[in-house]
Amino acid sequence: MNEKILNDIAVAMVAKGKGLLAADESTGTIKKRFDKIGVENTEGNRQAYRDMLFTTPGFEQHTSGVILFEETLFQKSLAGPSFAELLSSKGVIPGIKVDKGAQPLAGGGLEETITEGLDGLRERLAKYHAAGARFAKWRAVITINDEAPSDYALHVNAHALARYAVLCQEAGIVPIVEPEVLMDGDNSIEVCEEVTDVVLDSVFGELNAQNVLLEGMILKPNMVVPGIQCTEQASVQEVAEATLRVLKRRVPIAVPGIAFLSGGQSDVLATAHLDAMNRIGGFTWGLTFSYGRALQAAALKAWGGSNVEAGKTAHLHRARMNGLAAQGQWDKSLEKAA
Ligand code: 13P
């Protein structure tokens, strides 16, 4: 394992004012997004959509890396070079989602899941590295309900995250470790804080037990928010403070960076939360975005299957807003000017 190479990549992924574009929707997930705009889910349309995103002029000023789905890593851009080559030529690091999705957890009974994809992962990582990927993503999903999360689900998901992470590092690939506490319940922000706290405790316990190099990884957590169905919503400041409280307790300073998922927050709210945390400060990690929906929703709608220029304009705007938020320099008035 080359520790310096891993650390250099991880540091570059959270470079000042930059974050990650999560464009790694599986073929099934992108179908749901395309259905909403009436676009057929063909390989050609997926290629055209991602080409629009990755050829947006200037997005590289705010984007350190892009998480790709396997199909995209091995696909050509419309101009000819592979997407990995196109991104690398702009100084944007190609990454790859390597998990095979969250499946029902056997023997659990609480509607919890375990993320699959460890079988054959060493061989797949070698192929992905050869194709240009320098970081990877694995998403574990943690559900909150009256009885969940169970210790069982916490343990097996943390264990799998650590197994994935150490295999990535062996292959010269920086692992994004993503334990996502879902925000779709009716729980309060306090419950989300408590659950996020035990999740991160369990994840870092396993990462340490399995010799994961903390200096060569990125954490991708949820923010601490009330469930969408909770009657009492929280202010931007409350979310920022609660999220930082947990992270400061649980994330060692050896970790170069934290890049949040958006998890179903509206795009402007996801930007506002990130900005508020960077204004509060008091931490050493790079604190940035790794958004999927919050970076793409407006671009997808504006593109609508054919309007390439409008899609690029909307994409660049959100990338720029989040780049500012990653430095605590975003302002709501910049949204109106768009
Ligand atoms: P969202 O920002 O849409 O939650 O997606 C980020 C991601 O990569 C989830 O794994």
Side-chain angles (χ1 to χ4, degrees):
M1 185 199 301
N2 189 321
E3 301 187 357
K4 177 156 183 345
I5 291 179
L6 291 169
N7 181 247
D8 285 350
I9 298 166
V11 167
M13 287 165 71
V14 293
K16 207 160 185 48
K18 292 187 181 182
L20 302 163
L21 166 63
D24 59 328
E25 299 83 3
S26 64
T27 308
T29 302
I30 199 78
K31 178 179 186 318
K32 290 187 212 153
R33 310 275 190 266
F34 280 3
D35 281 350
K36 283 196 186 142
I37 55 164
V39 169
E40 202 190 335
N41 186 23
T42 61
E43 186 180 346
N45 284 338
R46 293 193 292 274
Q47 179 195 32
Y49 173 61
R50 274 127 183 188
D51 195 277
M52 178 276 290
L53 290 176
F54 308 160
T55 58
T56 297
F59 93 111
E60 64 273 13
Q61 288 167 28
H62 319 289
T63 310
S64 56
V66 178
I67 316 176
L68 304 169
F69 187 58
E70 187 176 31
E71 174 185 87
T72 321
L73 178 66
F74 296 102
Q75 204 171 34
K76 289 199 183 323
S77 64
L78 294 179
S82 73
F83 278 124
E85 287 164 341
L86 168 78
L87 292 169
S88 300
S89 74
K90 292 170 176 266
V92 176
I93 311 168
I96 170 90
K97 167 203 180 77
V98 303
D99 69 68
K100 299 274 187 189
Q103 302 297 332
L105 180 61
L110 296 178
E111 293 173 25
E112 295 180 290
T113 61
I114 176 68
T115 301
E116 296 190 343
L118 288 170
D119 288 351
L121 183 56
R122 176 176 270 140
E123 292 71 27
R124 286 200 286 132
L125 287 167
K127 260 186 10 193
Y128 299 150
H129 190 276
R134 291 295 176 269
F135 69 90
K137 180 189 106 171
W138 178 287
R139 172 174 174 257
V141 180
I142 305 296
T143 304
I144 300 182
N145 62 36
D146 289 347
E147 293 168 282
S150 64
D151 289 346
Y152 168 38
L154 290 177
H155 173 67
V156 292
N157 275 292
H159 192 268
L161 273 169
R163 285 202 58 203
Y164 138 83
V166 77
L167 279 165
C168 284
Q169 292 185 336
E170 179 190 85
I173 289 180
V174 168
I176 295 181
V177 172
E178 179 178 2
E180 174 175 4
V181 178
L182 294 178
M183 56 176 280
D184 48 13
D186 61 1
N187 59 276
S188 65
I189 187 170
E190 288 80 13
V191 168
C192 181
E193 181 170 350
E194 240 174 77
V195 171
T196 304
D197 187 75
V198 293
V199 166
L200 292 178
D201 183 30
S202 158
V203 167
F204 279 99
E206 283 295 341
L207 294 174
N208 286 323
Q210 297 188 41
N211 300 326
V212 173
L213 178 76
L214 298 181
E215 291 83 351
M217 63 162 275
I218 297 293
L219 179 71
K220 176 162 174 167
N222 53 285
M223 294 181 196
V224 173
V225 291
I228 280 178
Q229 298 172 55
C230 178
T231 47
E232 214 173 308
Q233 287 299 312
S235 69
V236 168
Q237 195 65 14
E238 282 165 343
V239 168
E241 285 172 8
T243 305
L244 282 182
R245 195 157 49 232
V246 175
L247 294 175
K248 285 176 182 176
R249 282 196 195 124
R250 294 300 179 196
V251 186
I253 60 174
V255 174
I258 297 175
F260 292 100
L261 58 93
S262 60
Q265 301 177 45
S266 77
D267 43 15
V268 175
L269 201 51
T271 303
H273 287 150
L274 179 62
D275 181 69
M277 284 186 264
N278 277 299
R279 283 177 193 270
I280 294 170
F283 44 80
T284 53
W285 333 280
L287 200 76
T288 190
F289 57 92
S290 175
Y291 295 159
R293 284 161 285 180
L295 267 170
Q296 292 184 55
L300 183 71
K301 200 167 158 211
W303 173 67
S306 57
N307 200 339
V308 174
E309 289 316 310
K312 288 181 180 188
T313 303
H315 173 212
L316 181 62
H317 175 67
R318 284 263 58 82
R320 197 166 72 81
M321 294 298 102
N322 286 306
L324 289 170
Q327 303 169 81
Q329 291 174 7
W330 172 80
D331 189 276
K332 215 188 263 171
S333 62
L334 298 168
E335 297 289 349
K336 290 202 195 81

